[in-house]
Amino acid sequence: MRFEIITIFPAFFAGIFEHGIVRRAQAEGLVGIGVHDLRTFTHDRHRTVDDRPFGGGEGMVLKPEPLAEALKSLGIEAKAKREQEQKPILRSPGLQTDGFAMSQRRTSREDTLNGAGTGVILLSAQGRPFTQGMARELSHVERVVLICGRYEGVDERINELYCDMELSIGDYVLSGGELAAAVVVDTVMRLVPGVLGNEASGEFESFGMADAEISTDEEGVPRSQHGSGGLLDYPHFTRPAEFAGLRAPDVLMNGDHLQIRKWRREQQLRKTLKNRPDLLEKAALSEDDRRILEAIHRESRD
């Protein structure tokens, strides 16, 4: 898999991809990352990449010509042409995604980035929320091109002509898309097969897959955790067993995998209900999960 990042601040990424899993994934040839200076694609002595917005208003807007040239240098055709040449979708069995449905205005190429050759993404506060489901889908794309917005944004014609989607990493405004690009690269890259030392690490975590979609069981060995099925992760503890007067839960140290699994599921439900109750609406909940939630609600009323 390869990421291409278009930015006016290439030095921003000088150290951020040189540590931890990202560095190892690049060293092992599992992931490639290219950073491209937008100013390289200007033709005036001031290397101008922005201009005042039509209609007035605050700030400046990134000009379309340098961005179009940068995309062309990467072999990126206009979206209409890529749609004609795009290879068929290759979906993984059981893969759950949030989908990449575009607006009706955008063409009929909906929900097709999973397995696509190239996906072009504009990082913008106006974009769709970036989720773990989207990260899983992007991990099946061969090449992801990330356009880092700046100032008041990017000329909308670049979005219309070249971008498959706009993504936002949260309901807040950054000074530019560079931090968002780093978040997307890190989140997607760790889901590429072979990047994590333990493949199950990408399944048993917050916003992870439901039990029915997980295929990492060891035969004959009961799992000590549930797939989160869209819930938050459970609390984690390690040595020492007692710290500052607080003891780690005994159930985690008794070796009973089924009891550990039951305790962890209850904690996932409790933490999600406390911190992100909105996730429960779309989570893959069993009847046992619903009974646990009813018991938690009764506790809070008592």
Side-chain angles (χ1 to χ4, degrees):
M1 181 178 192
R2 183 167 178 83
F3 296 91
E4 310 283 6
I5 301 173
I6 299 174
T7 173
I8 63 171
F9 294 122
F12 175 92
F13 300 98
I16 200 167
F17 295 140
E18 296 176 4
H19 304 279
I21 293 173
V22 183
R23 180 194 60 78
R24 188 169 70 244
Q26 292 180 89
E28 295 176 0
L30 298 171
V31 172
I33 302 173
V35 180
H36 309 278
D37 186 352
L38 183 60
R39 296 189 188 277
T40 303
F41 304 96
T42 58
H43 302 285
D44 66 303
R45 64 192 181 107
H46 298 295
R47 306 180 77 198
T48 305
V49 296
D50 60 333
D51 209 334
R52 293 186 297 275
F54 286 131
E58 296 76 20
M60 303 290 277
V61 176
L62 285 179
K63 293 165 59 65
E65 303 99 315
L67 284 165
E69 286 197 30
L71 291 166
K72 184 177 180 180
S73 76
L74 296 172
I76 305 296
E77 302 282 357
K79 184 166 54 179
K81 186 170 183 179
R82 283 188 286 121
E83 286 166 3
Q84 296 172 0
E85 300 173 351
Q86 192 68 267
K87 71 179 186 179
I89 306 169
L90 302 174
R91 290 195 179 280
S92 297
L95 181 69
Q96 276 193 343
T97 73
D98 291 296
F100 289 108
M102 310 298 152
S103 66
Q104 291 299 315
R105 178 185 176 205
R106 282 298 181 88
T107 77
S108 60
R109 182 172 175 251
E110 294 192 336
D111 200 22
T112 61
L113 276 186
N114 185 29
T118 298
V120 180
I121 297 174
L122 174 60
L123 297 161
S124 162
Q126 303 166 29
R128 294 166 56 89
F130 181 54
T131 65
Q132 190 73 6
M134 285 187 174
R136 280 196 292 272
E137 187 161 341
L138 284 173
S139 71
H140 293 265
V141 178
E142 294 175 6
R143 183 170 68 154
V144 175
V145 180
L146 300 169
I147 300 175
C148 299
R150 270 279 156 181
Y151 312 121
E152 288 301 303
V154 171
D155 188 296
E156 185 65 16
R157 289 167 291 188
I158 290 296
N159 194 17
E160 291 290 332
L161 290 170
Y162 293 97
C163 298
D164 297 295
M165 72 185 72
E166 293 178 84
L167 281 188
S168 167
I169 63 168
D171 293 341
Y172 45 84
V173 178
L174 299 169
S175 57
E178 286 75 17
L179 279 170
V183 167
V184 171
V185 169
D186 189 279
T187 307
V188 174
M189 168 275 311
R190 63 191 300 278
L191 299 176
V192 173
V195 168
L196 296 177
N198 182 349
E199 292 298 318
S201 297
E203 298 178 339
F204 297 104
E205 59 185 357
S206 291
F207 317 111
M209 298 180 182
D211 282 335
E213 300 172 279
I214 295 175
S215 58
T216 55
D217 283 356
E218 296 180 46
E219 187 174 351
V221 179
R223 277 210 321 257
S224 62
Q225 68 250 54
H226 283 275
S228 70
L231 301 178
L232 300 182
D233 203 2
Y234 50 80
H236 297 270
F237 298 85
T238 187
R239 295 179 179 84
E242 188 167 329
F243 172 74
L246 296 177
R247 182 170 176 78
D250 290 331
V251 67
L252 299 180
M253 299 179 282
N254 66 14
D256 187 328
H257 289 280
L258 294 179
Q259 287 299 314
I260 293 171
R261 189 180 187 193
K262 181 179 178 182
W263 180 89
R264 284 175 166 170
R265 187 58 171 183
E266 180 178 337
Q267 297 306 309
Q268 283 181 294
L269 291 164
R270 287 182 179 275
K271 183 154 285 206
T272 304
L273 181 62
K274 177 182 178 182
N275 293 338
R276 290 291 306 277
D278 57 295
L279 295 177
L280 292 170
E281 297 176 9
K282 296 182 179 180
L285 300 178
S286 66
E287 288 303 313
D288 285 341
D289 293 335
R290 298 184 191 283
R291 282 192 288 270
I292 293 171
L293 285 170
E294 289 174 7
I296 295 171
H297 283 302
R298 285 197 299 271
E299 286 179 14
S300 64
R301 290 194 296 266
D302 293 342

